[in-house]
Amino acid sequence: MKKLIVALCSLMLLVNLLSCGPTENQNEILIGEFSSLTGTTATFGQSTHHGLELAVEETNNAGGLLGKKVRLLVEDDQSKPEEAATAVTKLITRDKVKAIVGEVASSRSLAAAPICQQFAVPMVTPASTNPEVTRKGDYIFRVCYIDPFQGEMLAKFAHNSLGIRKAAILKDVKNDYSVGLAQFFRETFEILGGTVVAEQAYSEGDSDFKAQLTALKATEPEAIIVPGYYIEAALIIKQARDLNITVPILGGDGWDSSKLLEVGGLSLNNTYFSTHYSADDTSSLVRNFVEKYRSRFNEMPDAMAALGYDAGLMLFDAIRRAGSTEGPAIRDALAATESFPGVTGNITIDQERNARKPLVIISVVDGRFVYKETVQP
């Protein structure tokens, strides 16, 4: 009986510990982050986390917010939408965070956004570009452009800069980002007079794309559009070159990872992708960010790191202007953001809580990302 009582007491103590969030400290402002720190798009989550960490450290070193220190609470969603929903529920209901930063992938932001909206907790996504994300409610914001703009600019670059008139598309049908970007590319490309001669599909996690590529090759496209994430994109490009498909291959910001270079190697020559910033930018704002990031993490910051940094600083700027950590006050201040100086460009939040900002085209040359051009909104 004594052992049973001890076991019950231990269980009750464990339940109490799990049901209680971090000890509330009146001198801290708790900010939640949900990121893909592991899983299929782990480099995205790790980069945005590092960028956000840097923003928190800079803010605290400068005196904090409203006389308090910022404390970041992080949850790994394992690159899974269902885990994203669980992570955000925990951050809000258990940890009582005042605002949330996340996610890169649109499918995971779409899973978390309704929960933030339900509890009136502002959410800022660094890089979810699907238009539906901010349509989940007036507490949902982003610091990146959206896919209609990205798809339009990618189509104009293919048509006007590369002279492409016949394109084929290979998209991830289980990914909201990929499906949306393919649609917006096609719409603009056809308006410009181009023709999409074929379309094939795959699912995230696939590794053999030869059947789809063989079918696309038979239609003789002048370029192939792959609006997916970096691992699958790199494998698709390698297998395309193996099949002697030499035409340009284009993608979106889902390609922006060092893993693309690591997996794709020299087969990436004659490929292009749209993204949010270039580390080659010579502005003092970008140079300072790159120097601080390299000093802190011993690596070059990619676009996701820059967006994580901007998302944190824009949120902290809103809290400072709001003079409050109440959800409605932070939301109103975020909505009023105008010309915020981010390293990914000046950010103005529009009526649909999206960021209006420029887009950058990167080419891949001999294993390096090379700045190609900037397109203004």
Side-chain angles (χ1 to χ4, degrees), residues 293-352:
Y293 190 96
R294 289 184 64 182
S295 175
R296 176 68 173 79
F297 300 108
N298 197 33
E299 62 185 18
M300 286 292 287
D302 57 19
M304 300 306 144
L307 287 167
Y309 182 75
D310 281 353
L313 290 184
M314 189 184 82
L315 173 61
F316 303 153
D317 174 70
I319 293 174
R320 193 177 291 113
R321 286 187 285 109
S324 167
T325 58
E326 295 298 317
I330 298 173
R331 176 201 59 190
D332 291 347
L334 281 169
T337 299
E338 186 171 351
S339 299
F340 178 81
V343 295
T344 59
N346 284 348
I347 301 168
T348 293
I349 299 297
D350 67 17
Q351 292 184 337
E352 295 184 329

Side-chain angles (χ1 to χ4, degrees), residues 76-247:
D76 176 15
D77 61 33
Q78 306 167 37
S79 304
K80 300 174 182 175
E82 62 273 19
E83 292 297 330
T86 301
V88 165
T89 301
K90 180 182 175 186
L91 287 167
I92 293 174
T93 62
R94 195 196 81 151
D95 299 335
K96 312 295 183 187
V97 298
K98 301 301 182 183
I100 284 182
V101 175
E103 231 266 7
V104 169
S106 296
S107 56
R108 300 192 285 271
S109 286
L110 285 167
I115 301 166
C116 292
Q117 183 68 26
Q118 176 189 350
F119 289 96
V121 173
M123 168 181 146
V124 179
T125 166
S128 290
T129 48
N130 188 290
E132 289 301 318
V133 172
T134 53
R135 291 173 184 164
K136 294 302 179 185
D138 60 355
Y139 279 81
I140 314 303
F141 297 82
R142 72 178 109 218
V143 294
C144 55
Y145 48 67
I146 57 176
D147 285 333
F149 174 67
Q150 181 171 209
E152 176 187 348
M153 293 301 110
L154 202 57
K156 286 182 175 177
F157 174 74
H159 186 275
N160 299 338
S161 298
L162 299 181
I164 304 300
R165 296 295 180 266
K166 297 194 304 177
I169 295 174
L170 181 50
K171 65 184 179 183
D172 179 350
V173 287
K174 292 186 178 177
N175 188 300
D176 296 313
Y177 158 78
S178 184
V179 172
L181 187 54
Q183 172 196 337
F184 299 123
F185 172 87
R186 173 193 278 271
E187 289 175 359
T188 298
F189 191 65
E190 292 180 343
I191 288 172
L192 292 170
T195 302
V196 175
V197 295
E199 193 164 312
Q200 290 283 325
Y202 67 92
S203 297
E204 184 176 357
D206 288 353
S207 59
D208 187 347
F209 308 94
K210 290 187 176 65
Q212 297 97 317
L213 288 167
T214 299
L216 293 181
K217 183 180 180 182
T219 65
E220 300 183 344
E222 296 168 0
I224 297 176
I225 314 304
V226 183
Y229 291 137
Y230 52 89
I231 292 292
E232 288 84 6
L235 292 173
I236 287 168
I237 293 164
K238 283 190 72 171
Q239 292 172 26
R241 300 314 187 207
D242 289 343
L243 292 169
N244 200 29
I245 298 174
T246 58
V247 299

